[in-house]
Amino acid sequence: MLVVLEGIVMCFVLLFVCVVGIANGPVGLVTFYEPEVQDRVVELGLTTRERIKRNTALAALALFVPALLLVPYMVYGVNGAVGFREGFTQMLVISLIYGLFDRLFIDWWWVGHTRTWIIPGTEDLMPYIAGKTLVVKWVGTLVGFPLMYALIAWIVALVG
């Protein structure tokens, strides 16, 4: 049960990053949009390439630091997991909870079915998450994160 709660904590971390990132409008997180949208936003003068690069770095830090540090801490430090199997299983459950939250709530519903993420002047480029990007995001959720947590669990098992 604690692992489910920790998965929900990670959902709130993700939600917090998104809310802060778009606090002044969705252009703040244009880094998550397709290159065509980014190009258009720069052409419209709504942001610059430099600001997109800076926001990309900040978003990556805000998302990956909790995934790389907080999740293993919760599993091994808080839950007291021991060894590869126990640690990996718990991290896998947590990552699937927040990964599905990201794919279904953030990407599918919030970005895809509300007006919150619409950047005026780019409506013709919708949907903002389509085709290849959608597949890459699902592969990351279902394969990438589990592989990352398998590596972390393996390292902890070797060291611990």
Side-chain angles (χ1 to χ4, degrees):
M1 185 61 180
L2 188 56
V3 174
V4 172
L5 181 61
E6 292 161 343
I8 294 169
V9 165
M10 290 301 294
C11 293
F12 279 104
V13 168
L14 175 61
L15 184 62
F16 179 77
V17 169
C18 289
V19 167
V20 169
I22 66 166
N24 294 319
V27 173
L29 286 180
V30 75
T31 185
F32 294 124
Y33 291 65
E34 297 293 328
E36 301 81 31
V37 178
Q38 293 177 22
D39 293 342
R40 176 80 57 83
V41 170
V42 170
E43 287 171 19
L44 293 170
L46 300 173
T47 193
T48 63
R49 288 270 169 227
E50 293 74 30
R51 180 171 268 145
I52 292 172
K53 287 178 185 176
R54 183 186 64 108
N55 288 349
T56 299
L58 290 173
L61 278 172
L63 294 172
F64 284 106
V65 167
L68 291 170
L69 298 177
L70 182 58
V71 172
Y73 171 75
M74 290 187 294
V75 167
Y76 289 102
V78 175
N79 301 354
V82 177
F84 175 83
R85 178 181 281 163
E86 189 177 358
F88 172 68
T89 302
Q90 290 183 32
M91 287 188 286
L92 179 64
V93 169
I94 293 168
S95 74
L96 289 176
I97 291 169
Y98 76 81
L100 291 174
F101 175 81
D102 191 10
R103 297 294 72 78
L104 300 174
F105 177 77
I106 304 284
D107 291 348
W108 179 78
W109 184 76
W110 197 16
V111 174
H113 289 85
T114 73
R115 301 198 52 78
T116 307
W117 292 80
I118 295 176
I119 300 172
T122 66
E123 295 89 347
D124 61 311
L125 301 172
M126 293 175 70
Y128 291 129
I129 305 169
K132 184 179 178 183
T133 300
L134 190 58
V135 170
V136 168
K137 286 181 157 219
W138 274 103
V139 169
T141 297
L142 299 174
V143 178
F145 276 107
L147 286 174
M148 178 182 76
Y149 288 124
L151 179 62
I152 291 171
W154 179 72
I155 292 169
V156 171
L158 282 178
V159 173

